[in-house]
């Protein structure tokens, strides 16, 4: 049976999951990598869409709404004395060359880009990143140069997003293998309670397929950008229940 049929059957059939315990470990590892790939596709797609969308919004805003400015000697220089805040549907952009707006004031803001007096601030996902203009050294940059840079950003941005996608995939795969290993350890306890006899390697294979249902469910929720309360607890609970039902399909120990 190929891995795609196994994925479908693992969504509803503990009996089939129990039967996968004797297959080669290589095929099970391949299945875990495939399951991980499917689970990160929505995340990577939304990440890319957000970055490209924000970049286009930033480019248009700088070109049409920002006053003339220059970044020189580590400082943003402009004739405007009043901070400028432009709110878009999913992005807020702040321009302040007089030091009135402080980066700490932006901590609670979502998806915000700020050109402050001496640094560039980016808020996303509850995290704040800051980059001092002094990193430019003795080079100066103005509005036209930044607009041109953003206009030609699509080519190198694809490379950056691809690298980020690989990192996300590797990190998620590592977490998935750890999760399966822990679930298999819990399976040892379930096995004794249910009076079955299985080696850890068989439980590990069954655990790899037992996480299919919660993984697919939360992948769909992620694609819909829907937050599930207590998602981690629900994911573990469903995985344990499916593994328990799969162990139940194993014949009892012979006297």
């Amino acid at each position: 049976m190929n891995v795609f049929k196994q994925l479908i059957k693992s969504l509803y059939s503990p009996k089939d999951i129990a039967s996968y315990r004797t297959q080669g470990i290589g095929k099970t590892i391949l299945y875990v990598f495939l399951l991980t790939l499917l689970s990160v596709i929505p995340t990577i797609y939304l990440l890319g869409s957000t970055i490209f969308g924000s970049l286009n919004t930033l480019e248009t805003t700088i070109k049409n709404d920002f006053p003339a400015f220059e970044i020189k000697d580590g400082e943003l220089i402009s004739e405007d004395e009043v901070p400028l805040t432009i709110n878009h549907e999913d992005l807020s952009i702040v321009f302040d060359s007089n030091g009135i707006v402080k980066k700490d004031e932006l901590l609670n803001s979502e998806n915000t880009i700020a050109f402050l007096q001496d640094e560039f601030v980016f808020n996303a996902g509850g995290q704040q990143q800051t980059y001092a203009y002094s990193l430019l050294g003795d080079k100066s940059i103005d509005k036209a140069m930044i607009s041109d840079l953003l206009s030609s950003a699509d080519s190198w941005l694809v490379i950056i997003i691809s690298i980020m996608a690989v990192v996300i995939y590797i990190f998620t795969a590592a977490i998935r293998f750890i999760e399966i290993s822990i679930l298999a350890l819990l399976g040892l306890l379930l096995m004794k309670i249910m009076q079955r006899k299985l080696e850890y390697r068989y439980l590990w294979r069954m655990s790899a397929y037992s996480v299919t249902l919660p993984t697919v469910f939360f992948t769909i929720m992620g694609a819909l950008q829907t937050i599930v309360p207590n998602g981690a607890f629900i994911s573990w609970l469903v995985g344990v229940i499916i593994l328990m039902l799969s162990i139940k399909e194993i014949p009892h120990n012979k006297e």
Side-chain angles (χ1 to χ4, degrees), residues 17-242:
I17 291 176
S19 70
Y20 300 152
R21 70 187 185 277
T22 57
Q23 73 177 15
I25 187 62
K27 187 173 184 179
T28 305
I29 292 175
L30 174 63
Y31 179 84
V32 175
F33 279 120
L34 172 64
L35 189 64
T36 302
L37 177 62
L38 294 176
S39 70
V40 299
I41 286 176
T43 300
I44 294 172
Y45 174 78
L46 292 173
L47 174 65
S49 299
T50 300
I51 292 176
F52 276 108
S54 299
L55 188 69
N56 292 332
T57 300
L58 179 61
E59 179 188 351
T60 302
T61 300
I62 291 177
K63 185 180 296 183
N64 300 331
D65 301 318
F66 273 23
F69 67 87
E70 182 181 14
I71 298 175
K72 185 177 181 181
D73 298 327
E75 187 175 350
L76 178 64
I77 302 171
S78 172
E79 294 182 357
D80 278 30
E81 298 181 356
V82 179
L84 175 66
T85 300
I86 302 170
N87 294 314
H88 296 279
E89 183 177 353
D90 54 358
L91 180 67
S92 296
I93 302 174
V94 179
F95 180 91
D96 175 31
S97 59
N98 296 287
I100 297 174
V101 178
K102 306 298 181 184
K103 66 179 181 181
D104 292 343
E105 300 174 11
L106 305 173
L107 282 173
N108 296 324
S109 60
E110 290 285 338
N111 298 331
T112 300
I113 293 175
F115 292 81
L116 303 184
Q117 186 178 36
D118 56 2
E119 60 188 342
F120 173 80
V121 179
F122 176 60
N123 281 12
Q127 300 294 322
Q128 185 179 86
Q129 302 291 330
T130 61
Y131 305 92
Y133 300 138
S134 58
L135 294 174
L136 294 172
D138 57 356
K139 297 180 180 179
S140 62
I141 187 170
D142 58 17
K143 175 180 176 178
M145 294 174 66
I146 291 180
S147 296
D148 291 341
L149 180 64
L150 292 174
S151 298
S152 61
D154 289 354
S155 57
W156 53 263
L157 201 58
V158 170
I159 298 175
I160 293 177
I161 293 177
S162 298
I163 295 173
M164 293 174 65
V166 171
V167 172
I168 291 172
Y169 175 69
I170 293 174
F171 178 78
T172 306
I175 296 297
R176 186 77 63 211
F177 277 100
I178 293 173
E179 175 187 0
I180 291 169
S181 299
I182 295 174
L183 184 59
L185 288 173
L186 294 175
L188 291 174
L189 177 62
L190 294 173
M191 178 191 68
K192 292 184 179 299
I193 294 174
M194 301 173 70
Q195 298 181 353
R196 301 303 199 272
K197 186 176 182 181
L198 286 169
E199 295 180 20
Y200 178 81
R201 55 180 176 150
Y202 296 136
L203 286 169
W204 195 94
R205 292 176 174 88
M206 293 168 62
S207 298
Y209 292 94
S210 296
V211 300
T212 301
L213 179 59
T215 299
V216 171
F217 172 76
F218 283 101
T219 297
I220 295 173
M221 291 298 101
L224 298 175
Q225 300 186 53
T226 302
I227 298 176
V228 180
N230 302 313
F233 173 77
I234 294 174
S235 178
W236 276 100
L237 179 62
V238 173
V240 169
I241 291 174
I242 293 177

